[in-house]
Amino acid sequence: MASSPPAVPVLDRTAVDRWRRAWDEVMAGFLPGAASFEHVLPAVVEAVCGGAPRRILDLGGGPGVFAERMAGRWPGAEVAMMDLDPVLLALAGAGADGRVRVHRGDLTSSWCGEVGPDGPYDLLTIVMTIHYLTPGRALALYRAARSVLRPGGLLIVADLMPEAGLDRVTGSLPPAAGLAWERWWDEVRADGALRQLLDERRAVFAGRVPAEFTPPADWHRSAALRSGFEQAGVVWRWGAHAALAAIA
Ligand SMILES: C[S@@+](CC[C@H](N)C(=O)[O-])C[C@H]1O[C@@H](n2cnc3c(N)ncnc32)[C@H](O)[C@@H]1O
């Protein structure tokens, strides 16, 4: 269920910046070729949107670093992000200098109510997050995304999407990235400033197991078309990782 962001403790700005920078390095392990993805993205977005997007929403936006970069790329845009994790939401709120509106919501629930009033959106992004969802939830996400996009708006889904027919071993999340993820969380825990939010995080994620659902890109394309998108196709690939663009 969607709700307001948690009360944010006063955080040391240097530490927030350090954690957010380090997060980017961790994510580069999860999304090999991330720089190439972000290089390709603006041309795709501007071609579909007919220029800079005006309203942008990043789903599963973590500490908001990707959303902040989009705000930098398109300074006239209203940029929002949504996530479930109280710690990451606090870092997003403290770090993005008010350039990104931060929403708390759960992609396995009715999240459109939380972000809908800021829409309809020109651009929705979901980066390395859809694999947390079961097949049914992932399909529901395509339907919900379609409903908050304006006609002609664009959804970008970037994740592990092996080519159909490739050995599924090539489609596993990189183990080194998992270790870097654990190290990042250990450092945040060691600081102590976020203790209360870390407790809250534990409660939020108790009993939740990432589905690790990483079907081929064809599955995503078909899910988008079944959900009412007019067109869908892969616009970026880096090994087993890819980005699907779907036009509403
Ligand atoms: C691997 S991280 C990617 C974060 C961000 N997209 C990035 O690229 O830096 C996955 C994100 O999905 C969020 N997430 C997982 N399940 C979620 C759910 N049910 N609802 C909202 N966010 C969720 C996590 O909290 C985390 O921030």
Side-chain angles (χ1 to χ4, degrees):
M1 197 177 73
S3 61
S4 305
V8 180
V10 178
L11 298 174
D12 172 59
R13 184 55 200 253
T14 311
V16 169
D17 289 346
R18 184 164 37 81
W19 286 326
R20 293 177 86 235
R21 269 197 309 277
W23 173 271
D24 236 5
E25 286 162 28
V26 173
M27 288 316 301
F30 278 109
L31 183 63
S36 137
F37 164 64
E38 290 195 32
H39 181 72
V40 165
L41 184 69
V44 174
V45 170
E46 288 169 20
V48 172
C49 296
R54 281 178 306 135
R55 292 204 179 98
I56 302 173
L57 174 64
D58 186 34
L59 296 169
V65 285
F66 178 58
E68 189 182 10
R69 276 201 292 277
M70 290 198 284
R73 169 84 206 188
W74 295 298
E78 290 170 21
V79 183
M81 58 149 283
M82 195 197 86
D83 204 284
L84 176 65
D85 188 317
V87 174
L88 300 180
L89 289 168
L91 294 180
D97 289 329
R99 300 181 72 194
V100 174
R101 186 149 182 203
V102 177
H103 294 279
R104 182 173 183 169
D106 182 353
L107 292 170
T108 66
S109 185
S110 49
W111 53 271
C112 294
E114 173 66 11
V115 296
D118 287 352
Y121 295 92
D122 302 295
L123 173 63
L124 243 65
T125 52
I126 176 161
V127 178
M128 289 312 290
T129 296
I130 204 165
H131 69 266
Y132 279 70
L133 307 180
T134 60
R137 297 286 190 196
L139 181 59
L141 179 127
Y142 276 99
R143 288 200 204 103
R146 173 69 189 80
S147 75
V148 296
L149 275 168
R150 70 163 171 79
L154 177 66
L155 168 68
I156 296 281
V157 181
D159 216 299
L160 194 49
M161 297 182 191
E163 300 264 27
L166 273 189
D167 185 333
R168 299 284 293 165
V169 171
T170 59
S172 53
L173 293 163
L179 287 176
W181 170 273
E182 291 305 330
R183 251 198 321 272
W184 188 89
W185 281 105
D186 284 346
E187 272 182 37
V188 170
R189 271 189 286 270
D191 184 283
L194 291 161
R195 189 169 302 126
Q196 197 184 324
L197 291 174
L198 283 160
D199 288 345
E200 196 185 325
R201 174 176 198 265
R202 213 168 298 121
V204 166
F205 283 98
R208 278 177 193 267
V209 183
E212 306 290 8
F213 176 54
T214 58
D218 274 356
W219 184 92
H220 288 276
R221 184 170 175 277
S222 155
L225 296 176
R226 282 164 66 197
S227 303
F229 284 88
E230 297 286 332
Q231 296 178 51
V234 170
V235 289
W236 171 83
R237 177 166 286 288
W238 191 279
H241 288 74
L244 182 100
I247 303 176

